[in-house]
Structure formats: structure tokens, C-alpha cells
């Protein structure tokens, strides 16, 4: 039962770390099982799937968009999304800002950094992030708020490598907090999945995105 696996995972996560149950490809019934066990934060990586689930499921669920987001799809989630994890361009942020304004809200976002060795994974480099944050266009965005950063480690059994990638993400966070984001809500480091969330927590994660360890394999 997913509920039992959820209980086991919860026991291993300290209270300052938010558990996001990654429910992509899972049915509404499977989601409700752990909703009924008290889970309220869920993560999806596809816009259409997230919209369908939002419409069908209880409205007090906090929906996290954790995957790559195309600009032309922002409008479908702007009204309800709780946190967008994978910001990798100013163009995307500008579109989120525009759609958030239409709904008279501020949408919390995380900057995604490229920390893995693989070049298939999305995300900003340090210099790309700096260029974006230094631009006037960025400073004029009043309907988005950067609450932290997100990253994905290389898919490997080499735990030393995974650990060092998590360390570099934590280092980016600390540097950004000093140089750019002094507001208290800049407090989120979204790192760690089923295979590596414990390591991620050791390295400073405040938000873990766990799918298969809760719901079983996809
Ligand atoms: C699917 C996914 C996860 C969860 O992966 P599991 O290995 O099933 O825990 C976490 N983060 C992102 C961005 C994902 O796409």
C-alpha cells in the first residue's frame, strides 16, 4: 500500500523538509489514498495531467510543477499552481509573471540549476543565472517570487558524485541568498528523489520530490 510506504518515508524526513509526493502517471484513486493519509503536496511534470488532476481532486492539494515548462502552457496552470520548480529562462519567468498578473497573484518559483554531468538535464549555469538576475527585465517582474532553487543529480550509483552535486547546489543557494535574495521566503532547496533523498537531506535539502518510493514503480 502506498500509504504504508508514505508512513515509512515520513519517519525518515525531518520536520523542516517538505515531502512532495510525485504522482505523475498515477491515478486519482492512488493519489486519494495518500491524500487521505494526510499528504497535501503533490508533484507533476506534465501540464495537462496536472490540470486534469487539479480539476478532479480536492482543492486543498498544493500542486507543484516539477518538470520542464513550456512558455505556451503557463496559462493553463497560472491560476492554481503552488510552486513552479524548473525555471530555466527569463522568457519563461516573464510569461509566468504575465499570467500571474491576470489572476492577480504572485507565483512562487524555483530556479533550476544544472548540476548533473549529463547534458540532457535542463537548468541554468551559475553565469546564466547571474546574467538573468542582474537584468532590468528581471527586476521588473512583480508577479513572480523566487523562493529558492532546484536541481537533479546525475543518475548514477556513484554516491560521492551525487553528494558533490548536491553540495554545489547548496553552495549556489548560499551565494544567491547573500547576493540577491535576502527575503525570508527565499528558503527552499528542492533536491532529492526516491534514490537519493536521504543524501540530499544530509546536504541541506529542504524539499524532496519522491515518486516511486511512495507509489511503486511507474
Ligand atoms: C519523476 C520525478 C521525480 C521523482 O522520481 P522518483 O525517482 O520516482 O522518486 C522527482 N523530480 C522530478 C523532476 C521528476 O521528474
Amino acid at each position: 500500500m502506498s500509504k504504508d510506504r508514505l508512513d515509512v518515508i515520513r519517519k525518515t524526513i525531518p520536520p523542516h523538509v517538505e515531502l512532495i509526493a510525485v504522482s505523475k502517471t498515477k491515478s486519482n484513486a492512488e493519489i486519494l489514498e495518500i491524500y487521505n493519509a494526510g499528504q497535501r503536496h503533490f508533484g507533476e511534470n506534465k501540464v495537462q495531467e496536472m490540470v486534469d488532476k487539479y480539476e478532479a481532486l480536492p482543492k486543498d492539494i498544493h500542486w507543484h510543477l516539477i518538470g520542464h515548462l513550456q512558455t505556451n502552457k503557463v496559462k493553463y496552470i497560472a491560476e492554481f499552481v503552488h510552486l513552479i520548480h524548473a525555471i530555466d529562462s527569463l522568457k519563461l519567468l516573464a510569461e509566468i509573471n504575465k499570467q500571474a498578473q491576470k489572476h492577480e497573484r504572485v507565483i512562487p518559483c524555483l530556479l533550476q540549476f544544472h548540476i548533473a554531468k549529463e547534458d540532457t538535464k535542463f537548468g541554468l549555469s551559475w553565469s546564466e543565472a547571474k546574467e538573468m538576475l542582474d537584468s532590468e527585465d528581471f527586476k521588473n517582474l512583480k508577479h513572480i517570487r523566487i523562493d529558492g532553487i532546484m536541481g537533479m543529480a546525475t543518475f548514477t550509483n556513484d554516491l560521492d558524485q551525487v553528494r558533490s552535486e548536491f553540495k554545489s547546489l547548496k553552495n549556489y543557494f548560499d551565494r544567491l541568498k547573500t547576493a540577491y535574495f535576502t527575503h525570508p521566503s527565499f528558503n527552499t532547496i528542492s533536491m532529492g528523489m526516491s534514490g537519493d533523498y536521504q543524501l540530499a537531506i544530509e546536504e541541506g535539502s529542504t524539499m524532496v520530490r519522491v515518486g516511486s518510493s511512495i507509489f511503486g514503480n511507474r
Side-chain angles (χ1 to χ4, degrees), residues 43-202:
E44 292 285 336
N45 67 342
K46 295 211 168 77
V47 165
Q48 188 58 52
E49 191 176 340
M50 186 162 107
V51 169
D52 291 344
K53 288 173 177 174
Y54 164 72
E55 284 169 358
L57 289 164
K59 290 295 173 287
D60 62 345
I61 289 179
H62 298 304
W63 290 104
H64 294 246
L65 203 278
I66 60 172
H68 181 68
L69 175 58
Q70 289 171 281
T71 19
N72 61 353
K73 297 202 172 151
V74 173
K75 57 178 176 286
Y76 302 115
I77 60 168
E79 184 180 0
F80 69 89
V81 68
H82 180 73
L83 180 64
I84 298 177
H85 286 232
I87 302 299
D88 59 2
S89 73
L90 185 57
K91 183 170 159 253
L92 177 58
L93 265 186
E95 176 63 16
I96 295 168
N97 186 73
K98 181 176 148 196
Q99 298 299 332
Q101 188 164 16
K102 283 189 189 160
H103 294 284
E104 299 179 339
R105 63 177 296 219
V106 172
I107 296 183
C109 297
L110 306 179
L111 302 178
Q112 181 175 8
F113 278 88
H114 181 89
I115 52 169
K117 284 263 158 53
E118 299 140 21
D119 42 58
T120 50
K121 291 199 174 138
F122 294 98
L124 300 157
S125 66
W126 177 256
S127 62
E128 286 166 344
K130 242 180 100 52
E131 190 187 333
M132 179 167 106
L133 300 176
D134 287 333
S135 72
E136 280 310 308
D137 287 344
F138 175 78
K139 288 169 195 157
N140 288 331
L141 304 176
K142 302 297 179 213
H143 289 267
I144 55 105
R145 190 182 66 224
I146 306 296
D147 277 358
I149 67 178
M150 172 278 200
M152 287 167 85
T154 305
F155 188 71
T156 171
N157 290 325
D158 182 349
L159 294 185
D160 288 338
Q161 182 175 342
V162 173
R163 189 183 289 281
S164 89
E165 291 170 2
F166 286 153
K167 276 189 201 300
S168 59
L169 194 64
K170 171 71 162 74
N171 181 259
Y172 289 153
F173 176 85
D174 291 340
R175 287 158 73 187
L176 289 172
K177 182 134 189 99
T178 310
Y180 293 97
F181 301 111
T182 48
H183 57 278
S185 65
F186 186 81
N187 60 12
T188 301
I189 305 177
S190 169
M191 64 180 186
M193 313 181 10
S194 292
D196 55 21
Y197 74 89
Q198 274 146 332
L199 199 61
I201 291 169
E202 283 171 30

